[in-house]
Amino acid sequence: MEDNKLTVRAVERALDILLCFAEATELSLTEIAGKVGLHKSTVHRLLASLEGKGFILRDVSTEKYRLGFRLWELSANLSQTDDPGLLLLPEMERLRDLIGETVSLYVRDGKERVRIQAVQSNQAIRRVAPVGVRMPLYVGASSKVLVAFGEPAVVSDMLLDPDWPASLDRDLFVQQLQETKRLGYATSVEEREPGAAAVSAPIVNRAGRLIAALAVSGPSNRLTLETMQEQAPLIMEAAKRMGTMMK
């Protein structure tokens, strides 16, 4: 009987730890222990168990904890919609607040990409991204992602396309696709329009299928290549988290 009580108490304590993240993105061991009112040694053991099951992630560089991907896998079953534009909107807003730039979601439609969702930056000078806009797959960070991580036939169809712009180098495009696959993300600086830059990462569902391209865009004088390279891990992590929410 005593063992059952201890087991229930351990579960309640573990749930209390998870609930600490309802109002915080990252917390240290000391902060969590203070919130749940337990000794740090006890909290550390519980965190280790939660981390082992994927409910908690630990940043080895900061020694802080945050929610793990397993929770997003469970949350995917809460929604009955298959619309990524609706399902992923809260995560897009979270990324916008973290990075401070406009966040967009693109899907491929034939030889074009379509922006199906956007969360605008709150900054005075920003990249405005209207939903529903269509753009060619030949240029732009999201285009590279949608082609590089899409089905192999997409690449061959594009390279053989009679409408391929004469001003664009096919060999250079192939090199960019290879680099995108190697890095796991793509960047663009004034490729499609002057003064604009973007960085994009693939959203792949739990079955391994490409769902969409997640992009962060802004003025090129603020969103420099160096800045985009620094932000890329955050964007890829957000894209991976979103992928666990998609069936």
Side-chain angles (χ1 to χ4, degrees):
M1 185 69 175
E2 181 65 17
D3 288 342
N4 290 337
K5 290 182 179 179
L6 289 174
T7 301
V8 171
R9 184 178 301 172
V11 172
E12 289 177 344
R13 287 175 171 177
L15 292 173
D16 285 340
I17 288 174
L18 291 176
L19 290 173
C20 289
F21 293 91
E23 299 177 353
T25 302
E26 290 187 330
L27 292 169
S28 67
L29 173 61
T30 301
E31 290 170 332
I32 297 172
K35 286 179 175 291
V36 298
L38 296 171
H39 292 297
K40 287 197 290 186
S41 59
T42 301
V43 173
H44 186 270
R45 289 195 298 271
L46 292 168
L47 284 169
S49 296
L50 290 169
E51 185 180 0
K53 291 293 185 179
F55 290 98
I56 288 288
L57 292 175
R58 180 172 60 92
D59 189 325
V60 294
S61 62
T62 63
E63 289 299 323
K64 288 196 172 185
Y65 297 84
R66 63 180 185 274
L67 294 177
F69 298 133
R70 186 57 58 86
L71 285 170
W72 298 108
E73 293 177 15
L74 293 177
S75 69
N77 292 319
L78 292 175
S79 176
Q80 298 301 314
T81 179
D82 292 324
D83 183 357
L86 294 176
L87 185 60
L88 303 180
L89 182 58
E91 279 301 301
M92 294 176 66
E93 292 174 336
R94 178 181 176 184
L95 182 61
R96 185 271 315 274
D97 294 341
L98 180 64
I99 291 181
E101 300 290 355
T102 296
V103 178
S104 299
L105 206 62
Y106 293 93
V107 296
R108 184 180 68 85
D109 184 18
K111 294 186 290 185
E112 297 178 311
R113 58 181 164 108
V114 185
R115 185 184 293 119
I116 62 170
Q117 187 59 278
V119 178
Q120 310 296 339
S121 167
N122 292 324
Q123 302 200 51
I125 300 177
R126 61 189 177 185
R127 176 80 170 83
V128 178
V131 173
V133 171
R134 289 177 172 268
M135 303 171 209
L137 278 178
Y138 307 111
V139 292
S142 295
S143 292
K144 297 171 194 174
V145 164
L146 290 172
V147 176
F149 291 93
E151 306 216 350
V154 177
V155 179
S156 57
D157 288 347
M158 287 189 61
L159 295 177
L160 296 174
D161 186 357
D163 295 326
W164 180 278
S167 60
L168 297 180
D169 188 326
R170 283 183 170 88
D171 291 335
L172 177 59
F173 184 72
V174 172
Q175 291 175 16
Q176 292 174 336
L177 295 181
Q178 293 171 343
E179 185 73 355
T180 298
K181 287 280 283 186
R182 184 181 71 82
L183 295 175
Y185 69 93
T187 60
S188 63
V189 179
E190 299 186 339
E191 286 187 6
R192 198 177 60 82
E193 63 179 279
V199 54
S200 178
I203 297 176
V204 179
N205 69 3
R206 287 174 283 170
R209 182 172 62 87
L210 177 68
I211 298 296
L214 175 67
V216 170
S217 60
S220 56
N221 62 346
R222 191 169 66 224
L223 206 56
T224 63
L225 183 58
E226 181 180 2
T227 298
M228 290 190 288
Q229 290 171 341
E230 292 174 351
Q231 293 177 345
L234 297 174
I235 298 166
M236 288 190 290
E237 181 180 351
K240 183 176 181 180
R241 193 161 55 238
M242 292 180 188
T244 64
M245 300 170 65
M246 302 302 299
K247 297 181 180 179

